[in-house]
């Protein structure tokens, strides 16, 4: 704030002030404030009322609300105080535009108090002699101001000090209350804006007392077993008020209170005898009181006290029933008598024993048998007949009237009709139509049907006049939902008993706990026979109404078939052949269904007999063809023989053969063992050519393509076996082998059938194995060819290669026929080769040795058996290696390069 | 005579009928006021009797022997005469008018209250003081109540020490402690007697002035 200094006094003085100072205003009213400037300041600061600016907080009040009253006074008027806020300041525009504050006031806006409403009072008894009166009221709207509430009360000519509420504004407690003098009570609310009083309440505080509840309640059993006497103390003197009471009681464990008629306890008292109680029952009592004339309030209920009535004779006999087991012998029964422990309300005490009598009604002379038992069953061995059984329960006071059960010789009477059940709420209702004659009682037997346990019979007796009872009471413990119960009803007549009628029932059904597991029994091309087992009783959870079979192909729609619940087999028809089907089965009760596991099956490609229908004719046709071919061959055998086995001159019989003491090749064949005298090549596989091959033809040109085909296949089969053993060696190695082993070319070329090229195992000496050809072909050819090798070997090789590429048959044509007998021979000296399971060519370096050895032996054994055509055969080993895996591929795998490089080596 | 009675009843009923609309507002409240305030005064008297029974026992114990002995019956000293005595002959008392009795009651309790207040200020234990204060307040209520009954019956309130008590200035201080205790003893004893007699008075008065509204309502129902 800016102050103007008075030059004269040097005192700091405000240049003006606002009237009124710090007003408290009613919300919504209008308000005018005046700003009065000091005269002295007018001269000093040269300021006038016209320059005054009013502000609320920092907001300038519009000029329209100002009024210049005179030179020094400006007023501002607000039509509605709700627009006001603190502070309201009076400012002045001095020295041009500089705003100076002159004075400010605090404005408080609020509401006057409302008239307090709904004043009500209650006198609480705090102790025997102390009473507090608490009055409450509705304080009305919020006033935004500090509002004082005072509870005022007075007698006609006597005032009391006000009761001032603490911390609250709507209630106050007067600690000392005087009864029997009318008190005028009212509430006064006051704040800066006003004062309001409630309507006065005129009352005698005795009329609004809420007394303390009676205490020290005691319960004593009276002489009678149905009476209990209640005594208590009142905590309010009868000089203050007379009381009336409410007494409530309940059986212990029960939650429902019973109340004694209030008119019975409407007068002052300190004890009461409660009658009509059940014997031997524990009761809980509670009591409350209020002013006798009903003016005022009920006290709280007193603490609960219990008491037990004394025992009385059991009111009725226990219900009795029997199970007759006649299975041991037809003439005698095992009778299981069973009766129920009585309800406490009927037992009226502790049952000490049951007294049974059994009387044979068929013979009057037989004495009555008596039994005293403490259990609730008795098993008797009785001869067939009609018996009357009675049972009575005895407690300390006495025995009950007996219950009678007639056991007739046979259940020959009429049974009940139309036995049916109905779930009602959580009980199972069993109903039936009564037989025509008068029925004393009905016995309802029931048991839980389960696959795990026997049907344990429970039972209940219904009086003869009912036609249906709720299996209630016991229902809670025995009738469970989702379980199958077998219920049997027997009517009991005065002179006999009807046969039992049974029905199965569920209290509540659920969907089955699992679905049936479906399997195929037989699968055909277009149909499948499905089979499944019924669900067990425990799994059913209800009556199975139907089975549903759902089947589908992998991508097809599901097909649904509903099956009668009695079936365990179903045939699906119209299936697609050779198709995977997924089938599952659903069992449905009234309350839902559940699927079993999926089962998949594939329909057959062919129907029954279809394969036979195809295979048999085909076989027959094949046999026919073979037969025809054989016949043809037989007919043309001369011609064939001419083509295939031409007569070859025997070199052994030639004159030239005389130079060598060696036995012809045929000899080798026949005496294989002699070739290997040591007999140590046990592991060397031996390829034998069939006898047919013996008749190999020597002429290269005599190779009719088709006729030789068969031969080729057989010989190839053998070579594959060798190739398989030599598959370890790589083609490259073989190639290089061929390159290096030129000297071996001769020898290798002598091997007509196959050369097995093997790697040496690690550092073991590799050995090249050749199958040996013992050809009868003239040597001349081979000699000629071998001579050609040096010069024109390439061209020859090329030619042969051409052959091979064109067709495997050609190659075979050249080669195979030449083998008269082919054996796999190791060309190393016998001693060196001992122990080799597989003979291998390990590498280039070792090859010369092997080849050399080979050469030696071969030259020794087969020096003359060189054949021109075998040149091409040097490729064979490699071929074998490459195609070791597949016999069929062998012919294709001939590589031209191999032939060029290794297949043709000039010696 | 029977005819007069029936006439009387008839006229009364006629009057009652005529006044029926106005009954709850005017007539009843007047009549009810008298009956109810008599009943209330009677109840209060009984309540005070009950209170005094326990209070006197406690207070006499506080005074100590011989005052708390049950057969203690000291002679009434002259200085105790200032306490209004209820030992008026019962027949004589009954012979008084209602107004006279009420006035006597009113005066007596007003005086007794003054002395009681003196007593209140002297008591040592807070419990006793509290109960005495409560009793005093109730007794004051009784004085007011009697005044209410008198005014409801149309009797003038007696002049004199009505309303706020005059104070202990009237009573000279007891010369010694025993005599003071004797004063207290007599005060309680007189109070007991007065309350016993007042209860009888109000019970009789209650019967004399029946709760009018009930009668009227019964009549109205009879029609």
């Amino acid at each position: 704030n800016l102050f103007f200094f008075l030059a004269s006094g040097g005192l700091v003085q405000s240049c003006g002030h606002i009237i009124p100072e710090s007003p408290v205003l009613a919300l919504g009213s209008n308000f005018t404030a005046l700003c009065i400037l000091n005269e002295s300041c007018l001269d000093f600061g040269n300021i006038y009322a016209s320059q005054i600016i009013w502000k609320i907080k920092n907001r300038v009040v519009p000029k329209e609300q100002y009024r210049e009253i005179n030179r020094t006074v400006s007023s501002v008027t607000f039509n509605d105080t709700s627009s006001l806020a603190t502070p309201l300041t009076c400012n002045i525009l001095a020295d041009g535009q500089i705003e100076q504050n002159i004075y400010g006031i605090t404005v408080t806006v609020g509401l006057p108090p409302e008239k307090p409403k709904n004043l009500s009072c209650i006198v609480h008894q705090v102790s025997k002699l102390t009473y507090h009166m608490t009055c409450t009221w509705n304080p009305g709207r919020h006033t935004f101001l500090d509002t004082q509430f005072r509870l005022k009360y007075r007698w006609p000519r006597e005032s009391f000090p006000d009761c001032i509420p603490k911390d609250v504004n709507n209630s106050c407690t007067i600690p000392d209350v005087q009864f029997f003098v009318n008190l005028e009570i009212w509430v006064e609310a006051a704040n800066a804006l006003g004062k309001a009083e409630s309507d006065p309440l005129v009352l005698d505080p005795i009329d609004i007392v809420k007394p303390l509840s009676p205490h020290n309640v005691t319960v004593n059993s009276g002489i009678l077993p149905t009476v209990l006497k209640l005594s208590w103390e009142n905590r309010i003197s009868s000089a203050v008020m007379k009381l009336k009471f409410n007494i409530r009681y309940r059986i212990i464990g029960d939650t429902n209170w019973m109340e004694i008629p209030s008119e019975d306890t409407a007068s002052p008292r300190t004890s009461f005898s409660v009658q009509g109680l059940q014997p031997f029952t524990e009761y809980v009592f509670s009591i409350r009181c209020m002013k006798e004339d009903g003016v005022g309030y009920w006290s709280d209920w007193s603490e609960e006290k219990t008491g037990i009535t004394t025992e009385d004779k059991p009111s009725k006999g226990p219900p009795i029933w029997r199970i007759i087991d006649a299975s041991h012998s037809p003439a005698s029964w095992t009778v299981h008598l069973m009766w129920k422990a009585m309800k406490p309300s009927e037992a009226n005490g502790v049952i000490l024993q049951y007294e049974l009598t059994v009387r044979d009604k068929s013979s009057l002379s037989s004495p009555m048998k008596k039994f005293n038992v403490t259990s609730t069953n008795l098993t008797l061995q009785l001869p067939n007949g009609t018996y009357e059984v009675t049972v009575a329960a005895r407690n300390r006071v006495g025995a009950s009237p007996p219950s009678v059960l007639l056991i007739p010789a046979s259940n020959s009477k009429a049974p009940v009709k139309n036995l049916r059940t109905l779930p009602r709420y959580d009980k199972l209702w069993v109903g039936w139509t009564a037989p025509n004659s008068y029925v004393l009682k009905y016995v309802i037997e029931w048991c839980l049907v389960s696959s795990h346990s026997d049907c344990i019979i429970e039972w209940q007796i219904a009086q003869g006049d009912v036609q249906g009872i709720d299996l209630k009471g016991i229902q809670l413990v025995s009738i469970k939902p989702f379980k199958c119960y077998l219920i049997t009803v027997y009517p009991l007549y005065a002179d006999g008993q009807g046969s039992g009628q049974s029905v199965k029932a569920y209290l509540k059904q659920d969907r089955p706990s699992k679905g049936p597991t479906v399997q195929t029994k037989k699968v055909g091309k277009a149909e499948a026979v499905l089979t499944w087992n019924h669900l067990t009783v425990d799994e059913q959870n209800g009556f199975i109404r139907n089975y549903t079979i759902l089947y589908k192909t992998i991508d097809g729609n599901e097909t649904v078939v509903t099956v009668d619940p009695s079936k365990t087999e179903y045939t699906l028809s119209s299936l697609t052949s050779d198709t995977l089907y997924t089938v599952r089965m659903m069992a449905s009760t009234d309350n839902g269904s559940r699927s079993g596991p999926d089962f998949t099956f594939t329909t057959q490609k062919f129907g029954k007999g279809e394969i036979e229908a195809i295979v048999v004719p085909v076989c027959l046709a094949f046999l026919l063809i073979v037969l025809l071919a054989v016949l043809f061959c037989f007919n043309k055998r001369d011609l064939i023989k001419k083509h295939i086995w031409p007569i070859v001159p025997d070199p052994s019989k030639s004159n030239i053969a005389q130079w060598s003491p060696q036995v012809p090749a045929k000899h080798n064949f026949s005496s294989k063992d002699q070739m290997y005298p040591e007999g140590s090549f046990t592991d060397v596989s031996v390829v034998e050519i069939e006898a047919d091959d013996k008749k190999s033809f020597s002429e290269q040109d005599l190779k009719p393509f088709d006729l030789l085909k068969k031969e080729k296949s057989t010989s190839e089969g053998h070579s594959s076996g060798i190739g398989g053993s030599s598959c370890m060696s790589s083609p490259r190695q073989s190639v290089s082998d061929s390159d290096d082993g030129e000297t071996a070319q001769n020898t290798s070329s002598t091997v007509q059938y196959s050369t097995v090229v093997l790697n040496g195992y690690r550092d073991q000496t590799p050995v090249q194995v050749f199958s040996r050809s013992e050809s009868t072909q003239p040597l001349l050819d081979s000699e000629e060819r071998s001579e050609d090798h040096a010069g024109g070997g390439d061209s020859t090789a090329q030619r042969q290669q051409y052959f091979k590429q064109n067709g495997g048959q050609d190659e075979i044509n050249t080669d195979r026929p030449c083998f008269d007998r082919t054996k796999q021979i190791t060309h190393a000296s016998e001693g060196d080769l001992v122990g080799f399971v597989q003979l291998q060519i390990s590498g280039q370096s070792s090859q010369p040795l092997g080849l050399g050895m080979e050469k030696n032996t071969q030259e020794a054994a087969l020096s003359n058996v060189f054949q021109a055509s075998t040149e091409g055969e040097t490729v064979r080993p490699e071929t074998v290696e490459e195609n070791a895996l597949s016999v069929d591929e062998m012919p294709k795998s001939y590589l031209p390069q191999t032939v060029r490089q290794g297949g043709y080596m000039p010696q | 005579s029977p005819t007069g009675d029936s006439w009387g009843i008839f006229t009364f009923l006629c009057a009652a009928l005529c006044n029926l609309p106005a009954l709850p507002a005017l007539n009843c409240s007047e009549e009810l006021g008298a009956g109810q305030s008599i009943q209330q005064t009677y109840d209060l008297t009984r309540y005070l009797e009950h209170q005094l029974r326990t209070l006197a026992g406690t207070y006499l114990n506080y005074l100590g022997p011989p005052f708390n002995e049950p057969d203690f019956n000291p002679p009434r000293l002259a200085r105790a005469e200032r306490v209004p005595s209820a030992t008026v002959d019962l027949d004589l008392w009954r012979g008084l008018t209602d107004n006279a009795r009420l006035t006597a009651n009113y005066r007596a309790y007003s005086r007794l209250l003054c002395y009681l207040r003196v007593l209140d200020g002297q008591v040592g234990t807070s419990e006793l003081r509290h109960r005495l204060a409560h009793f005093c307040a109730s007794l004051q209520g009784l004085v007011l109540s009697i005044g209410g009954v008198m005014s409801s019956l149309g009797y003038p309130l007696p002049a004199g020490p009505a309303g706020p008590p005059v104070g202990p200035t009237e009573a000279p201080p007891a010369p010694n402690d025993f005599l003071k205790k004797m004063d207290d003893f007599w005060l309680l004893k007189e109070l007991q007697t007065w309350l016993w007699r007042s209860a009888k008075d109000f019970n009789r008065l209650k019967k004399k002035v029946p709760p009018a509204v009930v009668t009227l309502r019964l009549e109205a129902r009879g029609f």
Side-chain angles (χ1 to χ4, degrees), chain A residues 112-116 147-150 186-191 194-199:
Chain A
E114 267 190 318
K115 178 176 162 183
T147 305
Q148 286 278 328
F149 285 88
R150 286 167 173 271
W186 71 101
V187 184
E188 187 187 274
N191 67 13
K195 198 188 253 190
E197 281 183 2
S198 72
D199 290 332

Side-chain angles (χ1 to χ4, degrees), chain A residues 129-131 155-158 160 175-182 203-204 206-207 237-240, chain B residues 36 40-41 43-44 46-47 50-51 106 131 133-134 137-138 140-145 147-148 157:
Chain A
L129 295 172
T130 318
Y131 301 85
W155 280 339
R157 286 186 300 278
E158 173 90 14
F160 296 97
D176 192 24
V177 189
Q178 303 298 326
F179 294 127
F180 307 112
V181 184
N182 280 350
L203 48 80
D204 183 349
I206 200 72
D207 292 337
S237 161
S238 61
V240 179
Chain B
Q36 200 195 28
Q40 215 174 21
T41 313
D43 287 338
L44 180 56
R46 298 294 310 276
Y47 177 45
H50 164 73
Q51 275 191 64
Y106 185 84
R131 281 165 71 174
H134 185 78
S138 292
Q140 183 164 8
L142 182 62
V143 174
L144 291 171
S145 214
L157 269 187

Side-chain angles (χ1 to χ4, degrees), chain B residues 122-169:
Chain B
Q122 296 163 351
V123 172
T125 67
S126 63
E127 163 68 14
L128 196 55
R129 198 158 52 227
H130 176 77
R131 281 165 71 174
L132 260 174
H134 185 78
F135 184 78
C136 280
S138 292
L139 198 62
Q140 183 164 8
L142 182 62
V143 174
L144 291 171
S145 214
I146 294 167
V149 170
M150 288 176 78
S151 61
S152 72
L153 291 175
Y155 304 135
L157 269 187
V166 188
T169 47

Side-chain angles (χ1 to χ4, degrees), chain A residues 797-818:
Chain A
Q798 216 94 30
R799 182 180 61 81
Q800 290 203 333
Q801 190 61 46
Y802 183 71
F803 260 125
K804 286 159 194 167
Q805 279 175 330
N806 282 339
Q809 289 81 8
D810 290 339
E811 163 248 330
I812 291 156
N813 291 344
T814 54
D815 309 343
R816 297 295 151 73
C818 304

Side-chain angles (χ1 to χ4, degrees), chain A residues 609-717:
Chain A
E610 242 177 56
I611 292 176
E612 289 87 335
I614 293 168
V615 168
V616 169
V618 166
C619 289
L620 286 174
F622 179 75
L623 279 174
L624 198 67
I625 289 165
V626 168
L627 197 70
L628 285 173
V630 167
L631 281 174
F632 177 76
C633 291
F634 188 76
N635 285 340
K636 301 280 183 176
R637 66 183 185 279
D638 295 335
L639 189 64
I640 291 165
K641 191 175 178 185
K642 189 181 164 191
H643 277 84
I644 301 175
W645 298 284
I647 297 159
V648 178
D650 187 351
S652 65
K653 289 174 183 165
S654 71
N655 292 335
I656 303 164
Q658 299 303 317
W659 62 272
S660 170
Q662 297 292 331
V663 191
K666 274 175 187 161
H667 182 76
N668 281 344
F669 171 71
S670 58
S671 58
K672 186 168 73 181
D673 292 343
Q674 289 169 9
M675 274 187 72
Y676 316 106
E678 295 85 355
S680 54
F681 299 100
T682 50
D683 291 320
V684 175
S685 57
V686 175
V687 175
E688 291 184 7
I689 306 297
E690 278 93 355
D692 290 356
D693 292 341
K694 287 177 192 170
K695 300 179 184 177
S696 64
F697 47 90
S698 53
E699 291 172 33
Q700 296 271 337
D701 48 341
L702 290 178
K703 292 156 193 167
F705 184 83
D706 46 351
L707 281 177
L708 289 172
K709 204 168 183 179
K710 192 180 170 188
E711 269 189 67
K712 171 220 165 192
S713 63
T714 41
S715 55
E716 272 180 1

Side-chain angles (χ1 to χ4, degrees), chain A residues 34 100 167 196 243 331 362 366 414 480 526 639 678 712 771 824 840:
Chain A
L34 301 172
Q100 310 278 3
D167 307 326
L243 294 172
S362 38
S366 62
K480 296 177 208 147
L639 189 64
E678 295 85 355
K712 171 220 165 192
S771 58
Q824 188 175 0
Q840 299 169 324

